[in-house]
Amino acid sequence: MSQIQFRDVSPEAPELQPIITGLFAEYQARYGDYFASKNESEVELTEWYLPPQGLFIVLERDGEIIAMGAYKALDAHTAELKRIWTRRDLRRQGLARVILQELERRAHHAGYQQLYLTTGFRQPEAVRLYLSYGYQPQFDINRDPESYSQPPHDGRLRFTKPLITKATAKAS
């Protein structure tokens, strides 16, 4: 019987590097140089994803990484979800949802009150996942997603989700 478990990792962990490389290759295949041409020079820093302000997790089956995700602090109350990925041959099995649920649980436990995330305009499967899981689009979902690749837009589709519900707030 297969064993599935989460493991916290550093984004610099050697076993993660082929997966990160594959993720960026997938972005390249979908978008070409679109995002590079936007002169985005932000370099991700490892410390963004380390507790207590951040987290990087992998989901493993029998010791093999099958999915991953991360969050970092956007501000004192908001965690930004990043790097949600599922191995290509295991997609459409709910693994991204499992990662999403774990990231939400951990961000809430860390004290964040809201989540924020972006996905690219050519990732309809990600848009469907986030909408189905209660994320609120900060864009017109009835508009052609490709139109968000044109100025004044930057190609990112933004979502937010509160972690503090009315029931939680009343209990506090």
Side-chain angles (χ1 to χ4, degrees), residues 4 11 33 35 51 69-70 79 86 105 130 149 155 160 162 169:
I4 294 179
D33 290 332
F35 287 107
T86 301
R105 186 184 73 75
Y130 302 137
S149 69
T160 60

Side-chain angles (χ1 to χ4, degrees), residues 34-101:
Y34 176 82
F35 287 107
S37 68
K38 299 290 180 200
N39 293 325
E40 296 187 21
S41 58
E42 179 180 68
V43 175
E44 286 195 347
L45 301 176
T46 299
E47 54 266 21
W48 290 350
Y49 300 106
L50 299 177
Q53 73 276 2
L55 176 72
F56 207 108
I57 58 172
V58 294
L59 183 61
E60 295 178 322
R61 179 182 292 145
D62 299 327
E64 185 176 339
I65 297 172
I66 59 173
M68 70 177 181
Y71 70 74
K72 65 179 187 172
L74 184 64
D75 61 41
H77 306 287
T78 309
E80 180 178 3
L81 302 186
K82 303 285 285 182
R83 306 295 170 248
I84 297 171
W85 169 90
T86 301
R87 206 172 78 188
R88 182 177 292 280
D89 62 325
L90 297 174
R91 292 185 180 161
R92 304 195 58 81
Q93 296 180 28
L95 295 173
R97 183 178 300 268
V98 170
I99 288 286
L100 200 56
Q101 289 172 327

